[in-house]
Amino acid sequence: MIRDFIGKTPLRRDEYLSGKYKTNIFIKEEFYNPGKSSKDRAAWFMVEDAIKQNKIAEGGTFVEASSGNTGISIALIAKELGYKAKIFVSASCSEEKIKLLKAYEAEIVHCDNSNGLHVFNSTQYQAQAYSSNNPNTYFTNQYYNSNNIRAHYKTTGPELWEQSQGGITHVLVGVGTGGSISGIGRFLKEQNSEIQVWGVEPLNSVYDLFMNGIEIPDEEVQFDGIEGIGRTFIPGTFDKQVVDRIFQISKEKSIEIAQQYQRECNDLLGFSSAAVLAALDTHLADMQLQETDQVVLFFPDHGNRYINKLYTDVKSLEKINED
């Protein structure tokens, strides 16, 4: 059963980053999941719940709005269990993710953006409309499905606590749907309320406004295009009560830090993983980290899904990409 292979991903101390930032930096390597991303966790919880609650019949179609990774996880799990998948993706979805969706036999629908249920040409609106008008379909709706939070509360949070032997002091998580940071933050705060739970989003995304009680503009905001994170609306799966702070970072800085890490460590960061590291690099002085701290960087996927977006010298990266 594929469920047996989801989770229990490594927490690795990064010697290069620990030395560079003069504290203990750990990487939660979520690309060791079967679908190569953290989204396997939420996808399994959402799919399993729908089947158990008889929200979909055998052979039905799971529907999702996704920047790619959740769609890939839904498609992989659906295929494994004998269901179909129809994934509504935004224009920004990487070529590598599209190929994987096709490999898992998902039907793909391209939409203009992922700006929420109230926007007609968005992935969310189109996915909901399709599911509402077609029998034996189920819209997993990761932006408002509580199982998105529950997956990380039940699995990722406990793993981080156990793997750090209760020593974790900070965790930095990219914020897209808000499910990962909310589930992780809720669990860790229950163990030790002093743990700092920090989110990372692109410039001009709206989470920082929300956290600071600033009204979100009615007009559609254009945030930096860092695939997988950032929003123009606040999803139901974001729990501000367990998040201490949101840091913003630019697309350019994220790309720069990804390429720098590849040169220094010969490894490829995913787009939102690079954003998390870029936030650490940019806001380090403000974070006031101590030498004895244990800082976890949550890396949802691997850079081999973003070769064309982040890494230009593809030929020299062929071996890494194969790995």
Side-chain angles (χ1 to χ4, degrees):
M1 175 68 74
I2 192 172
R3 173 65 184 91
D4 298 332
F5 299 96
I6 296 174
K8 299 181 178 64
T9 56
L11 182 69
R12 173 180 63 85
R13 188 179 193 275
D14 192 300
E15 300 299 332
Y16 165 69
L17 295 178
S18 296
K20 180 177 181 178
Y21 298 114
K22 297 179 173 57
T23 189
N24 300 291
I25 304 293
F26 295 85
I27 308 299
K28 185 59 168 166
E29 298 180 319
E30 286 292 280
F31 41 83
Y32 280 95
N33 281 299
K36 310 302 182 187
S37 87
S38 63
K39 296 299 186 178
D40 284 0
R41 299 176 187 263
W44 176 263
F45 272 70
M46 293 188 295
V47 167
E48 181 186 47
D49 178 73
I51 295 171
K52 283 183 175 180
Q53 300 298 324
N54 296 316
K55 297 174 182 177
I56 187 170
E58 187 174 344
T61 301
F62 283 98
V63 179
E64 185 54 276
S66 172
S67 64
N69 279 336
T70 304
I72 291 167
S73 297
I74 292 285
L76 168 63
I77 293 168
K79 183 180 179 182
E80 179 82 9
L81 299 179
Y83 295 82
K84 298 185 284 292
K86 189 180 183 80
I87 310 300
F88 292 75
V89 302
S90 58
S92 63
C93 186
S94 73
E95 295 176 24
E96 292 86 354
K97 289 180 181 177
I98 294 295
K99 289 179 180 178
L100 283 169
L101 284 168
K102 290 178 179 177
Y104 292 133
E105 300 177 7
E107 185 178 350
I108 304 166
V109 180
H110 295 270
C111 303
D112 291 345
N113 58 65
S114 59
N115 290 347
L117 290 167
H118 63 291
V119 178
F120 175 77
N121 56 348
S122 73
T123 58
Q124 294 91 351
Y125 184 99
Q126 295 297 326
Q128 179 175 259
Y130 176 83
S131 185
S132 298
N133 290 285
N134 288 273
N136 201 19
T137 61
Y138 179 73
F139 180 26
T140 46
N141 197 6
Q142 60 174 323
Y143 295 90
Y144 292 93
N145 192 325
S146 61
N147 285 293
N148 187 351
I149 298 177
R150 184 168 169 265
H152 294 284
Y153 177 81
K154 289 290 188 180
T155 68
T156 323
E159 285 174 32
L160 290 173
W161 182 253
E162 181 180 346
Q163 289 171 324
S164 70
Q165 297 181 316
I168 182 173
T169 59
H170 304 74
V171 59
L172 274 78
V173 185
V175 188
T177 67
S180 299
I181 195 170
S182 298
I184 291 169
R186 190 175 295 176
F187 181 87
L188 291 179
K189 290 287 190 181
E190 289 177 359
Q191 314 314 307
N192 178 1
S193 61
E194 298 301 312
I195 294 173
Q196 292 295 292
V197 178
W198 291 338
V200 177
E201 68 174 348
L203 290 178
N204 299 317
S205 178
V206 299
Y207 281 109
D208 187 55
L209 296 178
F210 181 65
M211 289 291 295
N212 288 288
I214 301 172
E215 188 174 352
I216 296 171
D218 289 333
E219 65 272 14
E220 195 171 293
V221 295
Q222 191 70 37
F223 59 84
D224 267 21
I226 300 176
E227 193 169 327
I229 60 174
R231 288 273 75 83
T232 61
F233 65 98
I234 302 300
T237 45
F238 179 70
D239 181 3
K240 69 180 293 186
Q241 302 302 320
V242 298
V243 179
D244 294 288
R245 187 166 179 182
I246 298 287
F247 293 99
Q248 292 200 339
I249 197 67
S250 71
K251 174 182 178 180
E252 289 72 21
K253 179 66 176 180
S254 301
I255 294 173
E256 175 190 325
I257 212 81
Q259 294 176 350
Q260 181 185 90
Y261 190 81
Q262 188 276 320
R263 289 193 299 270
E264 296 291 339
C265 301
N266 199 35
D267 198 5
L268 307 179
L269 299 181
F271 215 154
S272 62
S273 303
V276 166
L277 180 53
L280 173 67
D281 188 79
T282 301
H283 300 284
L284 184 64
D286 198 24
M287 292 177 178
Q288 298 184 327
L289 300 174
Q290 307 299 312
E291 289 186 9
T292 55
D293 286 338
Q294 293 189 31
V295 182
V296 172
L297 308 183
F298 187 73
F299 283 8
D301 63 4
H302 196 264
N304 56 12
R305 291 189 171 173
Y306 308 91
I307 296 292
N308 294 310
K309 287 193 172 187
L310 298 181
Y311 306 100
T312 53
D313 189 6
V314 178
K315 189 172 183 179
S316 68
L317 300 176
E318 283 180 353
K319 186 178 186 304
I320 300 175
N321 192 27
E322 289 170 1
D323 293 341

